[in-house]
Amino acid sequence: MRPVYLVSGGVSKFAKARPDVTFQPMVKEAYDYALKDLGLEFRQAAELVDGTVASYFSDHFMRQLKAGSMVQDYLGLTPKPSKRIEAGGATGGVAFQSGWEAVASGRFDICVVYGWETMSRVNTWKGNEFIALASDVSFDYPVGGFYSGYYAMMVVRHMKEFGTSVEQMALVSVKNHNNAFHNPYAQKRMNIRIEDVRASEMVAWPLTMLDICVMSDGAAVTILASEEGLNKLEKATGRRPKPAKVTGVGGGIDAMRMADRPHGEVILLPHEKPEDYKGLKYPGVHSFRAGRMASKTAYQMAGITNPLEELDFIELHDAYTSSEIQTYEDMGLCRYGEGGKFVEAGKPFMPNLDYGYRFPEQGKIPVNPSGGLIACGHPVGATGLMQAVFALWQLQGSIGKHFGSNQLQVKNARRGAIHSHAGTGTYVVVSILEKGF
Amino acid sequence: MEEQEKKRVKLPETDEGTVLFNVPFPKDLKDLKGMAPIIIRQPYHIDYIHSYGQDSPFFAGLANGKLLGTRCGPCKHTYGTPRLHCMYCGNECDWIELPKEGAVHTFTICHFGSEEFLKETPFVLILVEWPGVDTLFLSRLVGVDSLQPSLDWVGMKVRAQFKRLSKFKPTDVYFVPA
């Protein structure tokens, strides 16, 4: 395997609905941005790019099969090779890793990974139905298939097992919405408080509207390159790209049906001991074994032994405030069961922002500095790639340039993680990015 | 004239499914870029011929007032939601009858949902657990106050009830407080 670099990226402004365009021009917005940031002309890119990965989740949302090739031709990248990745909510993260594989293997020197989703083409309740089809259609969906319901059941068990509170979950919403206030790409930019989260409409007890991400139309693009690819880009543009190096990729899968998850032993990270989890039945429905597996394998590859100390920030898949708390634990930022206390202490908040609360340990490791899915939106195929783009900008120190404000720039960010998650914890991938210049 | 002698061919005009018959159109084509998008309704309906395949006995069981799970012969792993092959040793499992009485492992109340279930909201989803059974079962709970949920519901003893008129869906069984 050879080193792989993330050289540039772009994101369309995520919105509830983009009826002004079909999906192809929306992807082109993100692609043009990525090219411009690199200083590369459209025609030069068409020549230099060796192939692409198309990242989109649901054929139902558009009722259009083979949509990937329609984007490929719109971007002027025909007849270069491409493939489509579908991995539920983790589609973007898995597609990113697929791009990494294409470059690491030596097949491509320059690979474009483009992703999008247009979820506004059906009503929200129909969208919920489409998404719920990503649960067993014989045993799960017909009982009342609804992803917010599934996540609510998981966190009820987390609350019962560990004492996690709805106020702790609401703090995640406060953090992510307030962060997004400074992110012009975000769909929901709001300064809110715990009371606002609890007072918003109940969706699936105990999760309210503000505990849950929304459906969106949006696109994101990343450009990956080998060392040789970097040289080609430098030659074409006359300037050396400022890339992030992809130093770890990890993944995991768990049983589709939550009901099938085992009640066994915790998969330990290097900084944990079996005694930490005496008597805990794992993962049950309170934790994501696939998220732990993805973290463990990504950390192993990147040489990370204590993520809390060795990562500067994380963009993780907060489809629900509850799943952000559960993911702190899967990723080993705290022990299993301590996710609620972790957010209560202020650790995943930005150190420099005023959230209207006093935290004893604010800013230990910013999680979702961008605002995450909860505030940025979740156009599924674009989401994991959006995380990669925001992570690149953090590592470049270029958040100010791209967001028009430095408020969300993590100071001296050298290493970050992105985490993409599907189903009820069914597919999870984690990638580690490091400053590469 | 020659053109007038040509027989006119036309597609028949109908108004089925049409919600928009005409839109304003600018004289200058340059103005088209400022046009609002045309958004139309596209209905789509599918009837699947869904086979439960190897899981069919479970649904036959519900129609006969029995809740079935499976158990692996060699490793004894017992599944509260049936699977024909054991996840751990790959062997074919046997069908077993699960106890009518179990307990709530976890629950939620759905106040919103997929289109198909919107008219049933609020409804209560539970995962049922049984002692000695290694996995859980997703079902509905009725007979509790869905406006007064409490964490104390976890652990509540519940009892399976079966619909008299089977629809051959997993909702042919549901649970009530025991």
Side-chain angles (χ1 to χ4, degrees), chain A residues 34-77:
Chain A
L35 294 188
K36 193 174 169 217
D37 200 34
L38 207 51
L40 200 64
E41 301 289 332
F42 190 83
R43 281 173 182 280
Q44 287 178 306
E47 201 171 303
L48 286 179
V49 171
D50 296 301
T52 72
V53 180
S55 168
Y56 56 107
F57 157 56
S58 176
D59 299 315
H60 295 68
F61 274 106
M62 293 187 298
R63 209 187 57 152
Q64 172 67 65
L65 302 185
K66 294 284 296 101
S69 52
M70 295 169 75
V71 171
Q72 186 92 350
D73 73 40
Y74 209 82
L75 301 184
L77 292 172

mmCIF file of all heavy atoms in Angstrom, chain A residues 34-77:
data_model
loop_
_atom_site.group_PDB
_atom_site.id
_atom_site.type_symbol
_atom_site.label_atom_id
_atom_site.label_comp_id
_atom_site.label_asym_id
_atom_site.label_seq_id
_atom_site.Cartn_x
_atom_site.Cartn_y
_atom_site.Cartn_z
ATOM 1 N N ALA A 34 -13.950 22.372 -5.112
ATOM 2 C CA ALA A 34 -12.743 21.586 -4.816
ATOM 3 C C ALA A 34 -11.652 21.869 -5.852
ATOM 4 O O ALA A 34 -10.472 21.988 -5.502
ATOM 5 C CB ALA A 34 -13.080 20.102 -4.791
ATOM 6 N N LEU A 35 -12.045 21.993 -7.110
ATOM 7 C CA LEU A 35 -11.059 22.276 -8.160
ATOM 8 C C LEU A 35 -10.474 23.670 -7.974
ATOM 9 O O LEU A 35 -9.265 23.875 -8.068
ATOM 10 C CB LEU A 35 -11.699 22.167 -9.553
ATOM 11 C CG LEU A 35 -12.185 20.795 -10.009
ATOM 12 C CD1 LEU A 35 -12.599 20.860 -11.478
ATOM 13 C CD2 LEU A 35 -11.133 19.718 -9.812
ATOM 14 N N LYS A 36 -11.354 24.625 -7.709
ATOM 15 C CA LYS A 36 -10.913 26.008 -7.575
ATOM 16 C C LYS A 36 -9.935 26.147 -6.409
ATOM 17 O O LYS A 36 -8.924 26.856 -6.505
ATOM 18 C CB LYS A 36 -12.140 26.905 -7.359
ATOM 19 C CG LYS A 36 -11.834 28.377 -7.510
ATOM 20 C CD LYS A 36 -13.078 29.249 -7.432
ATOM 21 C CE LYS A 36 -12.655 30.710 -7.319
ATOM 22 N NZ LYS A 36 -13.522 31.480 -6.452
ATOM 23 N N ASP A 37 -10.248 25.451 -5.314
ATOM 24 C CA ASP A 37 -9.382 25.552 -4.135
ATOM 25 C C ASP A 37 -7.993 24.980 -4.431
ATOM 26 O O ASP A 37 -7.011 25.338 -3.810
ATOM 27 C CB ASP A 37 -10.041 24.815 -2.965
ATOM 28 C CG ASP A 37 -9.475 25.282 -1.628
ATOM 29 O OD1 ASP A 37 -9.141 26.481 -1.518
ATOM 30 O OD2 ASP A 37 -9.346 24.449 -0.717
ATOM 31 N N LEU A 38 -7.979 24.062 -5.381
ATOM 32 C CA LEU A 38 -6.714 23.433 -5.765
ATOM 33 C C LEU A 38 -6.017 24.234 -6.860
ATOM 34 O O LEU A 38 -4.831 24.041 -7.126
ATOM 35 C CB LEU A 38 -7.074 22.027 -6.293
ATOM 36 C CG LEU A 38 -6.103 20.869 -6.231
ATOM 37 C CD1 LEU A 38 -5.539 20.713 -4.833
ATOM 38 C CD2 LEU A 38 -6.809 19.588 -6.659
ATOM 39 N N GLY A 39 -6.766 25.122 -7.514
ATOM 40 C CA GLY A 39 -6.220 25.883 -8.633
ATOM 41 C C GLY A 39 -6.218 25.097 -9.931
ATOM 42 O O GLY A 39 -5.405 25.349 -10.824
ATOM 43 N N LEU A 40 -7.103 24.134 -10.028
ATOM 44 C CA LEU A 40 -7.135 23.246 -11.185
ATOM 45 C C LEU A 40 -8.317 23.597 -12.092
ATOM 46 O O LEU A 40 -9.428 23.805 -11.606
ATOM 47 C CB LEU A 40 -7.270 21.798 -10.683
ATOM 48 C CG LEU A 40 -6.864 20.661 -11.611
ATOM 49 C CD1 LEU A 40 -5.372 20.704 -11.921
ATOM 50 C CD2 LEU A 40 -7.228 19.319 -10.973
ATOM 51 N N GLU A 41 -8.047 23.665 -13.400
ATOM 52 C CA GLU A 41 -9.121 23.932 -14.359
ATOM 53 C C GLU A 41 -9.949 22.672 -14.589
ATOM 54 O O GLU A 41 -9.445 21.561 -14.466
ATOM 55 C CB GLU A 41 -8.524 24.379 -15.712
ATOM 56 C CG GLU A 41 -7.665 25.619 -15.664
ATOM 57 C CD GLU A 41 -8.486 26.869 -15.430
ATOM 58 O OE1 GLU A 41 -9.672 26.884 -15.811
ATOM 59 O OE2 GLU A 41 -7.949 27.824 -14.839
ATOM 60 N N PHE A 42 -11.196 22.868 -14.982
ATOM 61 C CA PHE A 42 -12.121 21.765 -15.266
ATOM 62 C C PHE A 42 -11.515 20.785 -16.275
ATOM 63 O O PHE A 42 -11.506 19.570 -16.079
ATOM 64 C CB PHE A 42 -13.430 22.358 -15.811
ATOM 65 C CG PHE A 42 -14.572 21.383 -15.936
ATOM 66 C CD1 PHE A 42 -15.367 21.071 -14.844
ATOM 67 C CD2 PHE A 42 -14.865 20.797 -17.157
ATOM 68 C CE1 PHE A 42 -16.449 20.198 -14.965
ATOM 69 C CE2 PHE A 42 -15.933 19.917 -17.290
ATOM 70 C CZ PHE A 42 -16.724 19.612 -16.190
ATOM 71 N N ARG A 43 -10.953 21.323 -17.364
ATOM 72 C CA ARG A 43 -10.385 20.466 -18.407
ATOM 73 C C ARG A 43 -9.134 19.736 -17.921
ATOM 74 O O ARG A 43 -8.900 18.584 -18.290
ATOM 75 C CB ARG A 43 -10.038 21.294 -19.652
ATOM 76 C CG ARG A 43 -11.239 21.615 -20.512
ATOM 77 C CD ARG A 43 -10.811 22.575 -21.631
ATOM 78 N NE ARG A 43 -11.931 22.941 -22.461
ATOM 79 C CZ ARG A 43 -12.423 22.174 -23.440
ATOM 80 N NH1 ARG A 43 -11.891 21.003 -23.711
ATOM 81 N NH2 ARG A 43 -13.452 22.579 -24.143
ATOM 82 N N GLN A 44 -8.327 20.439 -17.104
ATOM 83 C CA GLN A 44 -7.130 19.785 -16.544
ATOM 84 C C GLN A 44 -7.536 18.607 -15.681
ATOM 85 O O GLN A 44 -6.933 17.539 -15.720
ATOM 86 C CB GLN A 44 -6.348 20.776 -15.678
ATOM 87 C CG GLN A 44 -5.591 21.847 -16.421
ATOM 88 C CD GLN A 44 -4.899 22.785 -15.441
ATOM 89 O OE1 GLN A 44 -5.552 23.342 -14.557
ATOM 90 N NE2 GLN A 44 -3.597 22.941 -15.589
ATOM 91 N N ALA A 45 -8.588 18.820 -14.889
ATOM 92 C CA ALA A 45 -9.063 17.761 -13.994
ATOM 93 C C ALA A 45 -9.533 16.562 -14.809
ATOM 94 O O ALA A 45 -9.215 15.416 -14.493
ATOM 95 C CB ALA A 45 -10.188 18.281 -13.106
ATOM 96 N N ALA A 46 -10.271 16.855 -15.870
ATOM 97 C CA ALA A 46 -10.787 15.771 -16.710
ATOM 98 C C ALA A 46 -9.636 14.923 -17.256
ATOM 99 O O ALA A 46 -9.764 13.720 -17.439
ATOM 100 C CB ALA A 46 -11.609 16.348 -17.853
ATOM 101 N N GLU A 47 -8.504 15.569 -17.456
ATOM 102 C CA GLU A 47 -7.347 14.845 -17.975
ATOM 103 C C GLU A 47 -6.629 14.077 -16.868
ATOM 104 O O GLU A 47 -6.242 12.927 -17.045
ATOM 105 C CB GLU A 47 -6.403 15.880 -18.593
ATOM 106 C CG GLU A 47 -5.436 15.311 -19.598
ATOM 107 C CD GLU A 47 -4.706 16.441 -20.308
ATOM 108 O OE1 GLU A 47 -5.385 17.306 -20.914
ATOM 109 O OE2 GLU A 47 -3.470 16.474 -20.225
ATOM 110 N N LEU A 48 -6.470 14.724 -15.704
ATOM 111 C CA LEU A 48 -5.625 14.139 -14.646
ATOM 112 C C LEU A 48 -6.338 13.077 -13.791
ATOM 113 O O LEU A 48 -5.695 12.168 -13.290
ATOM 114 C CB LEU A 48 -5.126 15.249 -13.712
ATOM 115 C CG LEU A 48 -4.027 16.162 -14.263
ATOM 116 C CD1 LEU A 48 -3.667 17.216 -13.228
ATOM 117 C CD2 LEU A 48 -2.782 15.348 -14.623
ATOM 118 N N VAL A 49 -7.625 13.214 -13.620
ATOM 119 C CA VAL A 49 -8.339 12.283 -12.733
ATOM 120 C C VAL A 49 -8.353 10.889 -13.370
ATOM 121 O O VAL A 49 -8.710 10.729 -14.534
ATOM 122 C CB VAL A 49 -9.787 12.771 -12.487
ATOM 123 C CG1 VAL A 49 -10.597 11.709 -11.758
ATOM 124 C CG2 VAL A 49 -9.777 14.072 -11.686
ATOM 125 N N ASP A 50 -7.940 9.890 -12.580
ATOM 126 C CA ASP A 50 -7.885 8.526 -13.121
ATOM 127 C C ASP A 50 -9.214 7.801 -13.010
ATOM 128 O O ASP A 50 -9.488 6.882 -13.771
ATOM 129 C CB ASP A 50 -6.817 7.721 -12.379
ATOM 130 C CG ASP A 50 -5.433 8.290 -12.610
ATOM 131 O OD1 ASP A 50 -5.020 8.358 -13.778
ATOM 132 O OD2 ASP A 50 -4.789 8.686 -11.625
ATOM 133 N N GLY A 51 -10.014 8.158 -12.012
ATOM 134 C CA GLY A 51 -11.297 7.487 -11.827
ATOM 135 C C GLY A 51 -12.015 8.065 -10.632
ATOM 136 O O GLY A 51 -11.489 8.941 -9.934
ATOM 137 N N THR A 52 -13.231 7.594 -10.415
ATOM 138 C CA THR A 52 -14.068 8.183 -9.360
ATOM 139 C C THR A 52 -14.799 7.118 -8.561
ATOM 140 O O THR A 52 -14.898 5.957 -8.968
ATOM 141 C CB THR A 52 -15.142 9.122 -9.953
ATOM 142 O OG1 THR A 52 -16.137 8.331 -10.598
ATOM 143 C CG2 THR A 52 -14.560 10.114 -10.934
ATOM 144 N N VAL A 53 -15.317 7.552 -7.412
ATOM 145 C CA VAL A 53 -16.258 6.752 -6.634
ATOM 146 C C VAL A 53 -17.513 7.607 -6.454
ATOM 147 O O VAL A 53 -17.410 8.780 -6.075
ATOM 148 C CB VAL A 53 -15.686 6.371 -5.254
ATOM 149 C CG1 VAL A 53 -16.693 5.549 -4.466
ATOM 150 C CG2 VAL A 53 -14.371 5.599 -5.402
ATOM 151 N N ALA A 54 -18.660 7.037 -6.759
ATOM 152 C CA ALA A 54 -19.930 7.748 -6.597
ATOM 153 C C ALA A 54 -20.577 7.282 -5.301
ATOM 154 O O ALA A 54 -20.713 6.087 -5.056
ATOM 155 C CB ALA A 54 -20.852 7.475 -7.777
ATOM 156 N N SER A 55 -20.967 8.234 -4.474
ATOM 157 C CA SER A 55 -21.470 7.929 -3.142
ATOM 158 C C SER A 55 -22.906 8.429 -3.005
ATOM 159 O O SER A 55 -23.138 9.625 -2.913
ATOM 160 C CB SER A 55 -20.559 8.633 -2.118
ATOM 161 O OG SER A 55 -21.122 8.622 -0.836
ATOM 162 N N TYR A 56 -23.872 7.521 -3.076
ATOM 163 C CA TYR A 56 -25.265 7.903 -2.817
ATOM 164 C C TYR A 56 -25.999 6.698 -2.281
ATOM 165 O O TYR A 56 -25.729 5.563 -2.634
ATOM 166 C CB TYR A 56 -25.944 8.484 -4.058
ATOM 167 C CG TYR A 56 -25.944 7.616 -5.300
ATOM 168 C CD1 TYR A 56 -27.104 6.990 -5.735
ATOM 169 C CD2 TYR A 56 -24.786 7.439 -6.042
ATOM 170 C CE1 TYR A 56 -27.106 6.203 -6.883
ATOM 171 C CE2 TYR A 56 -24.777 6.655 -7.182
ATOM 172 C CZ TYR A 56 -25.935 6.032 -7.595
ATOM 173 O OH TYR A 56 -25.931 5.257 -8.717
ATOM 174 N N PHE A 57 -26.947 6.959 -1.398
ATOM 175 C CA PHE A 57 -27.550 5.909 -0.587
ATOM 176 C C PHE A 57 -28.757 5.274 -1.269
ATOM 177 O O PHE A 57 -28.771 4.105 -1.615
ATOM 178 C CB PHE A 57 -27.910 6.494 0.777
ATOM 179 C CG PHE A 57 -28.980 5.780 1.556
ATOM 180 C CD1 PHE A 57 -28.849 4.438 1.857
ATOM 181 C CD2 PHE A 57 -30.096 6.460 2.026
ATOM 182 C CE1 PHE A 57 -29.838 3.775 2.590
ATOM 183 C CE2 PHE A 57 -31.072 5.809 2.758
ATOM 184 C CZ PHE A 57 -30.946 4.464 3.037
ATOM 185 N N SER A 58 -29.779 6.062 -1.497
ATOM 186 C CA SER A 58 -31.059 5.430 -1.802
ATOM 187 C C SER A 58 -31.521 5.698 -3.223
ATOM 188 O O SER A 58 -31.620 6.844 -3.648
ATOM 189 C CB SER A 58 -32.129 5.933 -0.840
ATOM 190 O OG SER A 58 -33.384 5.400 -1.198
ATOM 191 N N ASP A 59 -31.812 4.633 -3.932
ATOM 192 C CA ASP A 59 -32.394 4.778 -5.261
ATOM 193 C C ASP A 59 -33.848 5.234 -5.158
ATOM 194 O O ASP A 59 -34.394 5.800 -6.094
ATOM 195 C CB ASP A 59 -32.317 3.451 -6.009
ATOM 196 C CG ASP A 59 -30.879 3.007 -6.197
ATOM 197 O OD1 ASP A 59 -30.053 3.842 -6.575
ATOM 198 O OD2 ASP A 59 -30.569 1.830 -5.944
ATOM 199 N N HIS A 60 -34.469 4.992 -4.002
ATOM 200 C CA HIS A 60 -35.872 5.341 -3.832
ATOM 201 C C HIS A 60 -36.103 6.849 -3.839
ATOM 202 O O HIS A 60 -37.102 7.328 -4.324
ATOM 203 C CB HIS A 60 -36.406 4.802 -2.511
ATOM 204 C CG HIS A 60 -36.436 3.316 -2.432
ATOM 205 N ND1 HIS A 60 -35.305 2.546 -2.398
ATOM 206 C CD2 HIS A 60 -37.465 2.452 -2.364
ATOM 207 C CE1 HIS A 60 -35.647 1.279 -2.323
ATOM 208 N NE2 HIS A 60 -36.944 1.190 -2.301
ATOM 209 N N PHE A 61 -35.156 7.597 -3.222
ATOM 210 C CA PHE A 61 -35.374 9.031 -3.060
ATOM 211 C C PHE A 61 -35.487 9.754 -4.395
ATOM 212 O O PHE A 61 -36.157 10.764 -4.510
ATOM 213 C CB PHE A 61 -34.262 9.669 -2.218
ATOM 214 C CG PHE A 61 -34.513 9.581 -0.749
ATOM 215 C CD1 PHE A 61 -33.811 8.694 0.057
ATOM 216 C CD2 PHE A 61 -35.473 10.382 -0.151
ATOM 217 C CE1 PHE A 61 -34.055 8.611 1.414
ATOM 218 C CE2 PHE A 61 -35.724 10.312 1.206
ATOM 219 C CZ PHE A 61 -35.008 9.419 1.987
ATOM 220 N N MET A 62 -34.804 9.233 -5.410
ATOM 221 C CA MET A 62 -34.853 9.910 -6.706
ATOM 222 C C MET A 62 -35.620 9.118 -7.747
ATOM 223 O O MET A 62 -35.956 9.639 -8.790
ATOM 224 C CB MET A 62 -33.436 10.150 -7.208
ATOM 225 C CG MET A 62 -32.666 11.136 -6.372
ATOM 226 S SD MET A 62 -31.098 11.507 -7.151
ATOM 227 C CE MET A 62 -30.339 9.910 -7.138
ATOM 228 N N ARG A 63 -35.846 7.846 -7.490
ATOM 229 C CA ARG A 63 -36.427 6.929 -8.476
ATOM 230 C C ARG A 63 -35.625 6.996 -9.771
ATOM 231 O O ARG A 63 -36.177 7.067 -10.857
ATOM 232 C CB ARG A 63 -37.905 7.254 -8.731
ATOM 233 C CG ARG A 63 -38.683 6.013 -9.120
ATOM 234 C CD ARG A 63 -40.072 6.344 -9.530
ATOM 235 N NE ARG A 63 -40.079 7.297 -10.629
ATOM 236 C CZ ARG A 63 -41.035 7.381 -11.534
ATOM 237 N NH1 ARG A 63 -42.071 6.601 -11.475
ATOM 238 N NH2 ARG A 63 -40.981 8.265 -12.488
ATOM 239 N N GLN A 64 -34.300 6.988 -9.572
ATOM 240 C CA GLN A 64 -33.397 7.067 -10.719
ATOM 241 C C GLN A 64 -32.279 6.070 -10.476
ATOM 242 O O GLN A 64 -31.499 6.249 -9.543
ATOM 243 C CB GLN A 64 -32.812 8.479 -10.834
ATOM 244 C CG GLN A 64 -31.708 8.630 -11.864
ATOM 245 C CD GLN A 64 -32.218 8.447 -13.272
ATOM 246 O OE1 GLN A 64 -33.015 9.227 -13.746
ATOM 247 N NE2 GLN A 64 -31.776 7.387 -13.952
ATOM 248 N N LEU A 65 -32.211 5.021 -11.244
ATOM 249 C CA LEU A 65 -31.099 4.093 -11.117
ATOM 250 C C LEU A 65 -29.921 4.594 -11.957
ATOM 251 O O LEU A 65 -30.109 5.397 -12.857
ATOM 252 C CB LEU A 65 -31.511 2.686 -11.569
ATOM 253 C CG LEU A 65 -32.697 2.066 -10.821
ATOM 254 C CD1 LEU A 65 -32.920 0.625 -11.284
ATOM 255 C CD2 LEU A 65 -32.501 2.100 -9.325
ATOM 256 N N LYS A 66 -28.733 4.092 -11.624
ATOM 257 C CA LYS A 66 -27.500 4.454 -12.355
ATOM 258 C C LYS A 66 -27.245 5.958 -12.330
ATOM 259 O O LYS A 66 -26.696 6.529 -13.282
ATOM 260 C CB LYS A 66 -27.563 3.965 -13.808
ATOM 261 C CG LYS A 66 -27.578 2.468 -13.989
ATOM 262 C CD LYS A 66 -26.202 1.814 -13.778
ATOM 263 C CE LYS A 66 -25.170 2.225 -14.776
ATOM 264 N NZ LYS A 66 -24.259 3.237 -14.231
ATOM 265 N N ALA A 67 -27.629 6.599 -11.259
ATOM 266 C CA ALA A 67 -27.455 8.053 -11.159
ATOM 267 C C ALA A 67 -25.972 8.435 -11.166
ATOM 268 O O ALA A 67 -25.627 9.546 -11.568
ATOM 269 C CB ALA A 67 -28.128 8.564 -9.894
ATOM 270 N N GLY A 68 -25.116 7.509 -10.732
ATOM 271 C CA GLY A 68 -23.677 7.796 -10.678
ATOM 272 C C GLY A 68 -23.118 8.196 -12.032
ATOM 273 O O GLY A 68 -22.341 9.150 -12.148
ATOM 274 N N SER A 69 -23.539 7.485 -13.057
ATOM 275 C CA SER A 69 -22.977 7.807 -14.375
ATOM 276 C C SER A 69 -23.513 9.148 -14.880
ATOM 277 O O SER A 69 -22.863 9.819 -15.680
ATOM 278 C CB SER A 69 -23.259 6.688 -15.373
ATOM 279 O OG SER A 69 -24.620 6.383 -15.391
ATOM 280 N N MET A 70 -24.681 9.538 -14.385
ATOM 281 C CA MET A 70 -25.225 10.842 -14.791
ATOM 282 C C MET A 70 -24.406 11.982 -14.185
ATOM 283 O O MET A 70 -24.270 13.053 -14.785
ATOM 284 C CB MET A 70 -26.691 10.955 -14.378
ATOM 285 C CG MET A 70 -27.576 9.956 -15.108
ATOM 286 S SD MET A 70 -29.230 9.845 -14.414
ATOM 287 C CE MET A 70 -29.955 11.354 -15.028
ATOM 288 N N VAL A 71 -23.872 11.739 -12.988
ATOM 289 C CA VAL A 71 -22.998 12.746 -12.382
ATOM 290 C C VAL A 71 -21.652 12.739 -13.090
ATOM 291 O O VAL A 71 -21.101 13.787 -13.415
ATOM 292 C CB VAL A 71 -22.825 12.482 -10.869
ATOM 293 C CG1 VAL A 71 -21.759 13.393 -10.289
ATOM 294 C CG2 VAL A 71 -24.140 12.684 -10.150
ATOM 295 N N GLN A 72 -21.144 11.534 -13.353
ATOM 296 C CA GLN A 72 -19.842 11.405 -14.023
ATOM 297 C C GLN A 72 -19.830 12.202 -15.333
ATOM 298 O O GLN A 72 -18.887 12.929 -15.608
ATOM 299 C CB GLN A 72 -19.582 9.917 -14.307
ATOM 300 C CG GLN A 72 -18.205 9.632 -14.872
ATOM 301 C CD GLN A 72 -17.192 9.305 -13.788
ATOM 302 O OE1 GLN A 72 -17.447 9.458 -12.590
ATOM 303 N NE2 GLN A 72 -16.024 8.849 -14.199
ATOM 304 N N ASP A 73 -20.894 12.097 -16.117
ATOM 305 C CA ASP A 73 -20.869 12.816 -17.398
ATOM 306 C C ASP A 73 -21.053 14.321 -17.200
ATOM 307 O O ASP A 73 -20.501 15.134 -17.919
ATOM 308 C CB ASP A 73 -21.835 12.196 -18.433
ATOM 309 C CG ASP A 73 -23.320 12.445 -18.179
ATOM 310 O OD1 ASP A 73 -23.684 13.560 -17.782
ATOM 311 O OD2 ASP A 73 -24.124 11.512 -18.401
ATOM 312 N N TYR A 74 -21.811 14.690 -16.152
ATOM 313 C CA TYR A 74 -22.007 16.122 -15.883
ATOM 314 C C TYR A 74 -20.689 16.777 -15.460
ATOM 315 O O TYR A 74 -20.474 17.961 -15.705
ATOM 316 C CB TYR A 74 -23.070 16.309 -14.800
ATOM 317 C CG TYR A 74 -23.832 17.608 -14.940
ATOM 318 C CD1 TYR A 74 -24.891 17.723 -15.831
ATOM 319 C CD2 TYR A 74 -23.483 18.726 -14.180
ATOM 320 C CE1 TYR A 74 -25.581 18.911 -15.969
ATOM 321 C CE2 TYR A 74 -24.171 19.921 -14.310
ATOM 322 C CZ TYR A 74 -25.223 20.008 -15.206
ATOM 323 O OH TYR A 74 -25.903 21.182 -15.348
ATOM 324 N N LEU A 75 -19.823 15.985 -14.789
ATOM 325 C CA LEU A 75 -18.543 16.523 -14.331
ATOM 326 C C LEU A 75 -17.470 16.416 -15.411
ATOM 327 O O LEU A 75 -16.303 16.729 -15.159
ATOM 328 C CB LEU A 75 -18.074 15.790 -13.065
ATOM 329 C CG LEU A 75 -19.001 15.841 -11.847
ATOM 330 C CD1 LEU A 75 -18.354 15.156 -10.649
ATOM 331 C CD2 LEU A 75 -19.373 17.278 -11.494
ATOM 332 N N GLY A 76 -17.866 15.952 -16.575
ATOM 333 C CA GLY A 76 -16.900 15.841 -17.671
ATOM 334 C C GLY A 76 -15.872 14.750 -17.441
ATOM 335 O O GLY A 76 -14.773 14.804 -17.975
ATOM 336 N N LEU A 77 -16.210 13.766 -16.622
ATOM 337 C CA LEU A 77 -15.235 12.731 -16.275
ATOM 338 C C LEU A 77 -15.469 11.421 -17.028
ATOM 339 O O LEU A 77 -14.827 10.412 -16.741
ATOM 340 C CB LEU A 77 -15.227 12.496 -14.759
ATOM 341 C CG LEU A 77 -14.684 13.686 -13.959
ATOM 342 C CD1 LEU A 77 -14.885 13.485 -12.464
ATOM 343 C CD2 LEU A 77 -13.206 13.916 -14.260
#
